[in-house]
Amino acid sequence: MSQIPNPSQLPGPFLIPAAWKGNELFQREDWMIKLNADHLHDLQGALHVIFSENLSFDQITKERFPLPRLGPVLHQIQDRLEYGSGACQLKRLPVDNYSAAERESLFYLISIHLGTPVSQSAKGEKIFHVRDEGYQVGQAQARGPNTRKRLSFHTDRCDVIGFLCIQQAVSGGDNQLVSSVSLFNEMRERWPDLTKVLLQPFYYLRHNVDRGNQKPYCQQPIFSVQEGHFAGSFLRVLIERAYAAPDLPEMTQAQRDAMNQLEALAESPEMSVRFRQEPGDLLFLNNWVTFHRRDDFQDADEPNLKRHLLRAWLSVPNSRPLDPMFADNYGKTAAGSIRGGMQPTH
């Protein structure tokens, strides 16, 4: 029987700004930024050019639209997402003043000042619509963001994930956020044996909608350290599907215990925070230092009043190096490389 490791035998602890606990996040100066009249003027001017010249997303660049007053704020957010708390709310874009196409363009414009949008589907979608599409359990095209069900704590396949709330649910749909750095530090201190398991590779099955991916599964750790940089990555639904596959090994009890303890810790009020995005609120999260989830929700009957968010997956230029095992899922692992997303099929 292997000896239970001491915390001193594990990497860390990581005493960095991203290692916040619970409501400490809300006290951070980098958590919330309010858009002012100058910022909105920048966006309105850019929007006028985008639509008067009928520009596509590929023609909307940071160089062409530097946003003189908002641009420096977004650059600061980019820096703080990597070196600060790893989470930022930008409040509040007056979404009711814009058409659906204008909202997408504004969200895309803000996002490119933080990073490079990568594909979120086999269709090559750079802006993804998070709303209940009415899919039934078991349908191949079903994804958690397109249902009303409660989502567990997870990360997405990108450096930074962004959301713009267009319409909130009648009830439910609240966000929950936790620092994966603090989860690691706490697990390391209290359950070093389980932490050792989380540092080892887990199988992930290819997602149903990831049709451009030729590999049926990959392996990657939940916690990892590369060149001194921490990274947390977790999507339990794909782990469970992998270990249920007939051609892959069965999950060990230690693996299951480690994930159960990790999720229980993440749910605790001492570690996580709960908040509600309101229409016009933008949320940006560093996927390597935070896990996020949302509650189940009840929608309105009217189509225009149903819960609706826009989502972007961003590869950022100031990203950290990753363990080489992430190459199968992210393509590249070097710091600052364009990586992540799903390979389009066309």
Side-chain angles (χ1 to χ4, degrees):
M1 185 174 179
S2 61
Q3 192 173 20
I4 294 176
N6 294 318
S8 60
Q9 298 171 324
L10 297 167
F14 293 91
L15 306 179
I16 58 177
W20 47 267
K21 288 185 179 181
N23 288 332
E24 287 177 10
L25 175 64
F26 296 155
Q27 311 308 316
R28 299 290 186 89
E29 64 174 356
D30 57 352
W31 162 242
M32 185 182 295
I33 295 174
K34 295 181 179 180
L35 290 168
N36 63 32
D38 286 341
H39 302 149
L40 296 176
H41 185 268
D42 275 0
L43 293 172
Q44 189 61 44
L47 193 65
H48 175 76
V49 174
I50 289 168
F51 279 83
S52 64
E53 299 186 15
N54 196 27
L55 301 182
S56 65
F57 280 171
D58 290 340
Q59 294 171 303
I60 302 173
T61 64
K62 186 169 63 171
E63 292 71 29
R64 186 168 186 178
F65 299 100
L67 305 178
R69 288 153 290 210
L70 179 57
V73 175
L74 296 174
H75 181 74
Q76 186 178 55
I77 291 173
Q78 180 192 70
D79 182 78
R80 289 173 168 180
L81 285 171
E82 180 62 25
Y83 302 111
S85 300
C88 179
Q89 265 203 115
L90 192 57
K91 300 172 77 78
R92 174 164 306 172
L93 191 67
V95 289
D96 289 342
N97 295 348
Y98 303 108
S99 67
E102 288 172 334
R103 292 166 185 162
E104 288 192 25
S105 292
L106 285 172
F107 183 46
Y108 188 85
L109 176 61
I110 291 169
S111 296
I112 62 170
H113 278 263
L114 300 177
T116 301
V118 296
S119 171
Q120 299 182 61
S121 70
K123 298 177 183 178
E125 296 168 281
K126 300 292 181 67
I127 299 295
F128 186 82
H129 293 265
V130 177
R131 57 191 172 194
D132 181 20
E133 301 285 7
Y135 295 130
Q136 302 302 310
V137 175
Q139 280 188 265
Q141 65 269 51
R143 301 173 72 169
N146 292 140
T147 70
R148 288 184 292 169
K149 68 180 183 181
R150 178 185 186 273
L151 302 182
S152 58
F153 274 109
H154 66 281
T155 56
D156 288 60
R157 203 187 304 178
C158 55
D159 294 319
V160 167
I161 186 169
F163 297 97
L164 168 60
C165 181
I166 305 299
Q167 179 65 49
Q168 192 47 272
V170 172
S171 63
D174 289 358
N175 299 81
Q176 205 170 346
L177 188 62
V178 67
S179 163
S180 54
V181 186
S182 289
L183 289 178
F184 173 83
N185 290 343
E186 198 72 14
M187 292 285 298
R188 177 187 181 276
E189 181 65 29
R190 295 163 65 176
W191 302 284
D193 53 334
L194 298 181
T195 306
K196 183 178 180 181
V197 175
L198 295 172
L199 285 160
Q200 296 166 359
F202 284 69
Y203 282 102
Y204 280 70
L205 198 68
R206 177 179 56 200
H207 198 291
N208 294 338
V209 300
D210 192 12
R211 296 189 300 276
N213 185 356
Q214 300 305 308
K215 298 184 178 182
Y217 58 83
C218 67
Q219 285 183 281
Q220 61 189 44
I222 293 172
F223 291 143
S224 61
V225 182
Q226 183 69 14
E227 299 174 25
H229 294 269
F230 170 88
S233 183
F234 187 45
L235 187 54
R236 185 163 184 170
V237 63
L238 295 188
I239 295 175
E240 295 283 359
R241 289 177 188 174
Y243 285 93
D247 56 336
L248 292 177
E250 291 187 6
M251 186 183 296
T252 67
Q253 189 59 49
Q255 287 176 315
R256 190 170 299 281
D257 289 345
M259 289 194 295
N260 287 345
Q261 187 59 69
L262 178 65
E263 289 189 313
L265 183 63
E267 290 281 359
S268 65
E270 67 173 307
M271 301 298 292
S272 60
V273 291
R274 183 181 295 274
F275 60 97
R276 185 176 177 85
Q277 263 187 284
E278 298 297 340
D281 288 352
L282 297 111
L283 176 67
F284 292 100
L285 307 172
N286 183 328
N287 267 301
W288 302 112
V289 297
T290 62
F291 294 168
H292 64 278
R293 59 162 295 272
R294 71 120 211 267
D295 289 336
D296 58 353
F297 61 88
Q298 185 66 41
D299 251 338
D301 294 330
E302 300 85 350
N304 64 315
L305 296 180
K306 292 182 182 295
R307 187 181 191 271
H308 183 196
L309 286 81
L310 301 181
R311 186 181 77 178
W313 283 357
L314 304 176
S315 176
V316 297
N318 59 338
S319 63
R320 65 198 58 209
L322 301 176
D323 187 297
M325 294 201 76
F326 285 100
D328 281 349
N329 235 355
Y330 287 80
K332 296 180 180 179
T333 59
S337 58
I338 295 180
R339 61 195 185 192
M342 295 187 185
Q343 186 70 31
T345 55
H346 55 78

